Amino acid sequence: MTAELTRGQNHPLPRTRLEIRVSAGTPIVAGATLGDEKGTVHGVEWVAHPGTPTLPGLEVSRQAAADHRLAVDLDALPDTVHRVSVLLALPAGGQGPVRFGAVAAPFVAVTDLDGDEVASYTVTGLDRESAVVALELYRRQGAWKVRAVGQGYAGGLAELLTDQNLPQAHQLAGTIHEAVARGLARSVPAPPAHAADADRPRQTAAPAHGPDHGAAPQGTPGPVPPVSPYDTQSPTGPQTPGGPGQHGTQQPYRGGTGDPAPAGQASTPTGGGPIDYSHPRRQNAAPPPPPATPPAEPGRPTRPVAGDATGWSMEERLYNQVWGMFEDLSRTMAAYRSAVDFADSRMEKELDQALSDPRSRIGGQGDAAREAARARHDQLVSQAREVLDRDVAQLLAEAEVVEPALPAAFARWDNPVWHAYRVPMEIPMALRLGDLHLPEADRVRIPLLMRLPLERGLWIDSGRSASLDGSVSDSHETRRLGLETAVAHASRLLAVYPAGEFTVHVIDPAGSGAQPLAPLVRTGVLAAPPALGAAGTADVLARLTQRVDLVQMALRGGAPDALPPGVDTSQQLLIVNDFPHGFDDRAVNQLRYLADEGPAVGVHLMMVADREESAGYGPLLDPLWRSLLRLTPVPDDHLADPWVGHAWTYEPALVPPGSQVLQQVLAQVAAARRSWGG
């Protein structure tokens, strides 16, 4: 029976191999410290955090996320360890919440390897605190217990670690936040959450594995929809990507039961149900005005329909549906991988028990025990795979319906919608940057949709590390592929914006990108020919820096329309090829300034660069790389989803070889620009 703890209560632990599960409504950092009998943490090597996630007997998450699983083996801890403190903290330096009083109360549960919940605790009563010791596992007279602590710290991780007598508290807190920032930089921002979604129930879907699979805690409260760490409001317009927007989000996808939690609060934990990995804001029948849903055959699931999500327009419904598929596959895969991990752990435990009994080593009894353990393992994995295959088949059927219905901004270049392309009259909600997939379900390709206007710049990694399998090792080839990818993204941006509302500049100091840049140059869609040499680089950077300064001054003065004549008010994109060639220290500082300040006033970067070539600048450029979303010209598994943190393989949205669609689209864009310019 689960013990629902309140602050200060304790409960004995019947097992030494445990899992600690954390559920929160926003990305948080989870870690743990090891203390002696007095609770003192003697050094940084006694702290598990995203930068150092594994210690003897302890493993924590590698990035900030709304849900965490911490593995603990109390028998494997050093003998000098008598206390394990579970720490939660809000990421520092981002654009998300800065105090726990602004988010739903975190829920923490201790489970055994069978998934049975031993004890749970909802960390309530927090306000200005940005870090908290949620639980502690402590050893008393040879037995381990868990205690609900709930001690918060307004001074964040540094104050928390100082309170545990760690001498290097401030340095370690900085190291942890640095590691978290690197993790967030590779995470795809979640779509904006609708305020009303907090009032909707989290549905009870069929679990990915039964009670014997052991990967699901009982009584996990329904979490608030995750909030992107990049949620901001841009001065350039009423809606920015990742921010609280005018567009709605999805309704529950699968019919749910249970009572909704009040907005901003976690629901009361209830026992008896496994954790639900299904997407919380979708439904089978689309909201009004609903598309015609084909009737399902008896005993079969409802056939998928394009636009099966909420929204004021078909574009918005498709956008929400794609993100719903993304989250569904993330959570389905989390359930499958958790079930496989449990099966592996259970088999390992059963084999250890068989080998520890001397009687089983005589005759065939030991062999029989090993065969039985392996058979149970295979059965559990097979059951989990059946559930995964069922869910993947449903998502694959949905993808086959959704893909042909996508508008040009969301569609692949080989979609027939591009053959009917016309320059739009308004900006779309989002832009397709490529496809994402997971190795266990590589048939399901999820479009990577990024909200417009862009909030983060893009970095096309032209280094050798960009190749997932090492198939592209020639540096010249990776540079060419990187610039071709940048041209495809820039062309799509030009195509989806109304005439005159998006301007592209190019810096190519060595002139090495003439061939990949040819489609942009020949059609005349660039603001000016690509800038060459150090002088051309300095001129473009100076003009864009001046534009950022002027717009910022106008906004601060409360007169955004009082800009000097001749200032281009359209969105600006600067493509930088072959960085850092042609850049001196002044140019590098200007580039960093544009990366930091530009997106808020409509100036965006697209870097085509190999990070190793700029290693001479040391840590000076680390903030620049973190501020950009890293993409690759070849498939690479470097992006993470915002819900579970899986490593997704990204493939860029490139023009098919031999296709003329890019030239045709750019020709229409150029004609519209000439007509608009008079």
Side-chain angles (χ1 to χ4, degrees):
M1 182 176 179
T2 302
E4 297 183 7
L5 304 178
T6 59
R7 185 174 182 177
Q9 284 186 323
N10 59 47
H11 187 75
L13 294 173
R15 302 283 187 273
T16 57
R17 299 181 67 182
L18 305 164
E19 193 170 66
I20 299 173
R21 308 188 180 191
V22 181
S23 177
T26 188
I28 61 173
V29 184
T33 60
L34 305 179
D36 60 15
E37 291 180 332
K38 298 180 179 180
T40 299
V41 180
H42 289 278
V44 294
E45 66 277 7
W46 286 44
V47 183
H49 56 85
T52 307
T54 303
L55 296 178
L58 180 63
E59 184 174 3
V60 303
S61 303
R62 287 168 169 77
Q63 70 177 52
D67 300 292
H68 292 273
R69 296 184 177 213
L70 287 65
V72 181
D73 186 349
L74 299 174
D75 287 338
L77 294 174
D79 294 337
T80 54
V81 172
H82 290 261
R83 186 178 301 177
V84 180
S85 300
V86 178
L87 321 177
L88 307 178
L90 295 169
Q95 297 171 353
V98 296
R99 59 187 185 91
F100 274 109
V103 302
F107 175 80
V108 188
V110 180
T111 72
D112 59 21
L113 291 184
D114 291 333
D116 296 326
E117 199 169 279
V118 177
S120 65
Y121 174 46
T122 302
V123 189
T124 58
L126 300 178
D127 185 14
R128 296 182 298 107
E129 296 87 349
S130 59
V132 60
V133 178
L135 294 175
E136 66 176 14
L137 313 181
Y138 64 97
R139 178 158 42 191
R140 183 69 54 82
Q141 297 178 350
W144 284 91
K145 295 183 178 182
V146 57
R147 177 188 290 122
V149 180
Q151 176 63 53
Y153 297 86
L157 277 174
E159 183 182 353
L160 185 155
L161 295 171
T162 300
D163 192 45
Q164 297 196 358
N165 300 317
L166 179 66
Q168 309 93 334
H170 288 272
Q171 296 91 321
L172 180 58
T175 300
I176 294 173
H177 289 308
E178 180 78 10
V180 172
R182 290 195 300 267
L184 290 177
R186 63 184 287 269
S187 178
V188 178
H194 194 280
D197 287 336
D199 293 331
R200 294 174 184 148
R202 188 166 179 89
Q203 54 282 40
T204 305
H209 38 74
D212 288 340
H213 293 72
Q218 308 296 317
T220 303
V224 175
V227 179
S228 167
Y230 307 107
D231 287 353
T232 59
Q233 190 71 16
S234 169
T236 58
Q239 175 64 38
T240 57
Q246 65 219 30
H247 304 290
T249 52
Q250 305 93 313
Q251 295 279 351
Y253 177 59
R254 300 177 179 89
T257 60
D259 297 325
Q265 298 181 9
S267 61
T268 303
T270 56
I275 188 171
D276 180 13
Y277 286 101
S278 62
H279 177 48
R281 299 187 301 277
R282 302 179 67 212
Q283 62 182 15
N284 279 331
T293 304
E297 298 179 16
R300 293 177 177 245
T302 303
R303 284 182 282 175
V305 176
D308 185 15
T310 60
W312 294 102
S313 65
M314 188 61 174
E315 178 194 46
E316 187 177 351
R317 292 200 297 267
L318 287 168
Y319 171 83
N320 289 335
Q321 186 172 13
V322 167
W323 270 93
M325 294 164 59
F326 189 10
E327 186 171 354
D328 272 351
L329 186 53
S330 296
R331 297 185 182 278
T332 293
M333 195 58 65
Y336 169 73
R337 291 178 176 177
S338 178
V340 172
D341 288 344
F342 166 72
D344 292 342
S345 299
R346 179 169 178 171
M347 181 177 68
E348 180 182 349
K349 181 173 67 174
E350 291 176 348
L351 291 176
D352 289 344
Q353 291 174 347
L355 292 175
S356 63
D357 187 354
R359 293 171 298 178
S360 64
R361 302 174 190 169
I362 303 174
Q365 187 175 356
D367 294 337
R370 285 189 287 271
E371 288 299 323
R374 294 190 181 97
R376 281 190 290 270
H377 171 272
D378 294 344
Q379 180 185 11
L380 293 177
V381 173
S382 176
Q383 291 174 355
R385 186 72 208 192
E386 288 178 5
V387 175
L388 175 66
D389 290 343
R390 180 200 66 199
D391 293 344
V392 166
Q394 181 179 350
L395 286 169
L396 183 62
E398 189 172 8
E400 291 173 348
V401 172
V402 169
E403 188 67 46
L406 295 176
F410 300 178
R412 289 195 293 254
W413 284 109
D414 58 358
N415 192 308
V417 70
W418 285 107
H419 296 291
Y421 168 78
R422 294 294 182 270
V423 177
M425 300 298 292
E426 60 183 18
I427 302 172
M429 286 185 61
L431 184 85
R432 186 173 190 154
L433 295 178
D435 292 341
L436 299 171
H437 66 89
L438 292 170
E440 296 94 335
D442 58 356
R443 294 183 301 160
V444 182
R445 303 300 172 101
I446 304 295
L448 174 56
L449 301 181
M450 185 66 65
R451 289 294 292 264
L452 293 179
L454 294 174
E455 190 185 41
R456 297 177 68 185
L458 304 177
W459 165 31
I460 314 300
D461 188 355
S462 60
R464 296 186 181 184
S465 61
S467 177
L468 178 64
D469 55 3
S471 58
V472 182
S473 58
D474 181 70
S475 59
H476 297 289
E477 179 69 7
T478 55
R479 288 194 184 98
R480 182 187 65 79
L481 291 173
L483 192 51
E484 286 181 354
T485 303
V487 168
H489 292 324
S491 300
R492 186 182 288 264
L493 281 164
L494 284 164
V496 302
Y497 269 81
E501 293 192 19
F502 198 85
T503 304
V504 177
H505 310 264
V506 176
I507 291 178
D508 185 21
S512 59
Q515 182 178 354
L517 290 170
L520 298 177
V521 175
R522 285 199 302 259
T523 53
V525 295
L526 295 177
L532 302 176
T537 299
D539 178 64
V540 173
L541 292 174
R543 285 188 283 110
L544 289 177
T545 301
Q546 183 185 41
R547 182 195 181 279
V548 171
D549 291 338
L550 290 172
V551 175
Q552 283 184 337
M553 286 189 293
L555 291 172
R556 290 168 184 163
D561 297 328
L563 291 169
V567 175
D568 186 358
T569 58
S570 66
Q571 296 282 307
Q572 310 283 310
L573 176 68
L574 173 59
I575 301 176
V576 179
N577 184 41
D578 208 14
F579 177 82
H581 184 83
F583 280 74
D584 56 18
D585 290 343
R586 176 180 172 81
V588 169
N589 287 329
Q590 288 177 316
L591 196 67
R592 284 191 55 187
Y593 177 74
L594 292 177
D596 294 338
E597 305 294 336
V601 292
V603 178
H604 314 283
L605 285 184
M606 186 181 293
M607 302 277 291
V608 182
D610 180 358
R611 185 170 182 175
E612 294 181 2
E613 293 184 354
S614 60
Y617 287 95
L620 175 68
L621 291 180
D622 287 350
L624 171 65
W625 302 120
R626 285 199 301 269
S627 69
L628 306 174
L629 177 63
R630 176 177 175 253
L631 302 176
T632 53
V634 291
D636 183 68
D637 59 348
H638 66 283
L639 290 178
D641 64 80
W643 304 284
V644 183
H646 296 309
W648 291 72
T649 298
Y650 164 80
E651 294 186 17
L654 299 178
V655 180
S659 173
Q660 298 299 312
V661 65
L662 186 64
Q663 287 78 3
Q664 296 169 3
V665 168
L666 290 179
Q668 291 197 46
V669 171
R673 286 171 59 89
R674 290 191 296 269
S675 175
W676 174 83

